[in-house]
Amino acid sequence: MRLATWNVNSVRARVDRVIAFLERSGTDVLAIQETKCRDEQFPHAAFEAAGYEVAHTGHSAWNGVAIASRVGIDDVSTSFPGQPGFAKPAAPVRDADAPAEAPDPTPDEAVTLLDVPAPVEARALGATCGGVRVWSLYVPHGRAIGDPHYAYKLAWLGALRDTAAGWLSDDPGAQVALVGDWNVIPLDTDVYDPSVFVGHTHVTPAEREAFAAFTGAGYTEVTREHLPAEHTYTYWDYQQLAFPRNKGLRIDFAYASPAVRDRVTGVVVDRDERKGKGASDHVPVILDLADPA
């Protein structure tokens, strides 16, 4: 089975490229991130015409994850157990009768929202495809150190790690693949210039530890295992000729359970998909899996 992951940066804008990739590469299962559309806007017809079933979750023009499969797609989950939600903190509300020079209210004095759970974003979708439990993951960006989104990112990764560890505790032989855009740069050699990211997200010790914790949960990051070369990138910004200058990042990965790791025979980063008109800023990462023993 050929399994790939790709942040397409808007599936509606790039559906022709995605279908062409599927047909050219012979991919059986594609985990897609950043679809940027609601469920009813997803271009199902194009995938179905190419022979793929699709599961998708998306609520707006942001986020969104999907899985396209031509080897079956069952037991779809639009979030993982314990997945945290996120909501912008409520802004303090000033008393309309307060003088203009009055200080802003303290958090205790601010008007708060009703105590309801923060909405779960469309960042994780799981489905069983050809016997493998595939999770298409779009890890939160984090925005900036100290931003509430940064704490959300760490909580999100921690919750996924704990849940994924539980799957293997329940069934050590489970076929699980956690693939997608992890928004973490695990090593300094995964970025064209580490100094550019000093003081920013993606490279902080906390993020790197949260990423590495999946190894302790029993999973192996198989893309590096098969492609250990330094400065192997999966993302290049659209700005400042980043791709021609190879100013890239390695942020798209695949953590495999032991049963899936044993099946991986090779990994390819399809760098050519970053070329040409209308390319995504990410490229597909492809895993070839042997038949199970």
Side-chain angles (χ1 to χ4, degrees):
M1 186 171 81
R2 176 161 269 199
L3 165 64
T5 179
W6 190 7
N7 179 323
V8 300
N9 192 14
S10 178
V11 69
R12 290 181 293 169
R14 297 184 171 83
V15 61
D16 291 344
R17 287 192 69 130
V18 176
I19 298 300
F21 162 75
L22 289 171
E23 294 175 342
R24 172 178 59 80
S25 65
T27 293
D28 297 300
V29 181
L30 176 63
I32 306 170
Q33 300 87 44
E34 217 173 346
T35 60
K36 293 185 174 180
C37 65
R38 299 188 299 274
D39 290 342
E40 65 271 18
Q41 296 173 316
F42 192 94
H44 288 272
F47 285 85
E48 292 167 358
Y52 291 81
E53 299 177 82
V54 176
H56 174 259
T57 182
H59 311 306
S60 66
W62 306 103
N63 308 324
V65 284
I67 295 174
S69 172
R70 64 179 184 181
V71 293
I73 189 163
D74 301 300
D75 301 324
V76 175
S77 298
T78 56
S79 62
F80 59 83
Q83 181 174 331
F86 181 75
K88 293 181 179 179
V93 178
R94 180 183 293 275
D95 185 341
D97 296 326
E101 66 274 13
D104 288 334
T106 67
D108 290 339
E109 296 169 333
V111 175
T112 59
L113 299 176
L114 293 175
D115 186 15
V116 296
V120 173
E121 297 182 310
R123 292 184 175 275
L125 185 139
T128 301
C129 306
V132 177
R133 187 65 177 169
V134 178
W135 281 90
S136 180
L137 305 170
Y138 182 40
V139 176
H141 182 280
R143 298 179 184 168
I145 299 170
D147 189 285
H149 208 260
Y150 178 77
Y152 165 56
K153 178 180 189 175
L154 296 178
W156 201 97
L157 284 167
L160 176 61
R161 184 265 176 208
D162 291 347
T163 296
W167 292 330
L168 291 186
S169 177
D170 293 341
D171 179 7
Q175 303 262 348
V176 183
L178 309 173
V179 303
D181 176 358
W182 290 75
N183 270 319
V184 177
I185 301 170
L187 305 176
D188 284 351
T189 52
D190 293 333
V191 54
Y192 67 96
D193 182 357
S195 68
V196 174
F197 276 78
V198 173
H200 297 280
T201 62
H202 289 49
V203 299
T204 63
E207 290 166 287
R208 288 178 167 179
E209 289 169 9
F211 181 84
F214 287 82
T215 300
Y219 293 79
T220 300
E221 204 293 287
V222 292
T223 74
R224 195 182 306 279
E225 187 170 56
H226 287 264
L227 294 176
E230 296 181 350
H231 304 291
T232 298
Y233 304 136
T234 63
Y235 165 91
W236 297 261
D237 197 279
Y238 290 125
Q239 306 298 319
Q240 300 178 340
L241 298 175
F243 183 64
R245 296 176 178 176
N246 202 29
K247 296 170 64 175
L249 313 175
R250 189 173 192 169
I251 55 177
D252 300 88
F253 298 100
Y255 267 111
S257 67
V260 171
R261 178 196 182 189
D262 290 345
R263 295 177 58 188
V264 178
T265 60
V267 176
V268 175
V269 173
D270 191 350
R271 195 176 188 278
D272 286 346
E273 276 297 337
R274 185 59 177 80
K275 301 175 181 177
K277 183 178 180 180
S280 173
D281 43 6
H282 294 250
V283 295
V285 179
I286 306 167
L287 283 64
D288 285 316
L289 277 60
D291 292 338

